[in-house]
Amino acid sequence: MSEHPVPVLSQEDVFNYDAYLFDADGTLWTHDEPIPGAIKFVQELISRNKKVFIITNNSSRSTRRYLQKVTRLGFPVEEKNIISPNTIIIDFCKRNPHFIRKGIYLIGNIGSKEALEEALDVECFGIGHDPMPDAAGEGFPSTITLEKEASCVVVGDDPHFSYLKLIKATNFLADPNCGFFIANEDATLPNDTYILPGTGCFAAALRTAVLPREPVLFGKPGEPMGRYLKNNLELNPEKTIMFGDRLDTDIKFGSVNGFDTCWVRTGTHSVNDVNRAIDGDDKSLVPMFTFSFTDVQ
């Protein structure tokens, strides 16, 4: 198999775009370590007056808190240039306020709760531990109560995901007017110790329970995030390129939204994965280019 199964983006061509979209973990940094050459490359783009955006599927913190990490790592990016599923959900709900007239049932964490409540002035409930009643006891499941009303269910990363939360979300979504929103469908989370199941695992369980209902996917590779970038940030797809390490999120996101795509070899997917994509049926997974930030002189 070829070391570079797709063309390498040349140093001359890499600066021919107006807008640059970057995945975060695995592309610009790994955990708390910047990828070699990434900071310098971003600095060079900004010095050339290019538009630079970090496009993350991480909905576990507000963009304000996310900016703290980006700044600490050394990337000169402003808060307005950090786009997460929370960004898109907030924009969507502001334009469709009937989804926030009541509360939001949130399968997520405190970061998502803070971001959504601050921007939308709505109560998000459901995060944290939600103990399951004794399933063997008399009265189950009549002992379960939906103590509040929800205008939508939002699914994000939740370390306390449980059968009881699945029951509650399923019953909220029995109302066809209740919105069904998913932050992302990432199968796993970046981690160098254990393989951690991601939001996509929780979303798959809820998808199955509420069939034939379909959710709105607000993260990569969903089209709502692409529409937001093109409409709100005035990006020209023909002059925009997406850099990422994952084929199923980053590269597919670029492909379905008409952006050029560039796979970086520093994260989740390998040369073997790219070769499998080339031989497979879903060509939206195949990147147009590959590139290493350390190649820039």
Side-chain angles (χ1 to χ4, degrees), residues 126-135 140 143-145 160 162-165 168:
I127 70 166
H129 292 283
D130 197 354
M132 185 71 186
D134 183 3
F140 178 84
T143 55
I144 296 173
T145 59
H160 301 295
S162 66
Y163 184 49
L164 184 55
K165 291 189 178 188
K168 290 183 177 181

Side-chain angles (χ1 to χ4, degrees), residues 184-240:
N184 67 72
E185 291 189 301
D186 292 4
T188 58
L189 300 174
N191 187 272
D192 58 1
T193 305
Y194 294 101
I195 298 173
L196 300 179
T199 301
C201 300
F202 316 142
L206 187 53
R207 272 178 173 268
T208 304
V210 301
L211 283 171
R213 286 203 64 172
E214 288 290 331
V216 179
L217 173 61
F218 286 99
K220 297 172 294 184
E223 293 184 10
M225 184 174 275
R227 285 196 299 270
Y228 177 88
L229 293 173
K230 287 180 274 192
N231 296 338
N232 294 57
L233 304 178
E234 300 180 347
L235 299 191
N236 177 0
E238 295 179 358
K239 298 292 290 182
T240 301

Side-chain angles (χ1 to χ4, degrees), residues 50-203:
K50 305 293 186 179
K51 296 179 179 178
V52 175
F53 298 93
I54 294 176
I55 312 296
T56 176
N57 263 0
N58 187 340
S59 63
S60 65
R61 64 185 77 181
S62 66
T63 53
R64 175 170 47 83
R65 292 186 182 275
Y66 207 84
L67 177 66
Q68 294 173 357
K69 176 174 182 175
V70 172
T71 303
R72 175 171 51 82
L73 291 176
F75 291 93
V77 176
E78 299 180 45
E79 182 178 348
K80 66 181 181 180
N81 296 85
I82 299 172
I83 310 298
S84 77
N86 290 330
T87 310
I88 317 305
I89 293 171
I90 289 166
D91 176 73
F92 179 85
C93 287
K94 284 182 175 179
R95 291 184 289 104
N96 298 273
H98 56 283
F99 287 122
I100 53 174
R101 288 202 180 110
K102 304 173 186 176
I104 294 176
Y105 185 67
L106 177 61
I107 296 176
N109 55 35
I110 190 63
S112 301
K113 176 180 170 70
E114 289 177 350
L116 297 177
E117 287 188 340
E118 180 179 330
L120 296 174
D121 190 27
V122 63
E123 180 188 10
C124 295
F125 64 98
I127 70 166
H129 292 283
D130 197 354
M132 185 71 186
D134 183 3
E138 292 186 13
F140 178 84
S142 62
T143 55
I144 296 173
T145 59
L146 302 181
E147 63 277 9
K148 298 180 181 180
E149 293 184 291
S151 295
C152 67
V153 173
V154 174
V155 184
D157 180 33
D158 187 352
H160 301 295
F161 184 74
S162 66
Y163 184 49
L164 184 55
K165 291 189 178 188
L166 182 61
I167 291 172
K168 290 183 177 181
T170 300
N171 282 274
F172 284 129
L173 292 172
D175 178 357
N177 295 313
C178 182
F180 182 13
F181 305 147
I182 293 177
N184 67 72
E185 291 189 301
D186 292 4
T188 58
L189 300 174
N191 187 272
D192 58 1
T193 305
Y194 294 101
I195 298 173
L196 300 179
T199 301
C201 300
F202 316 142

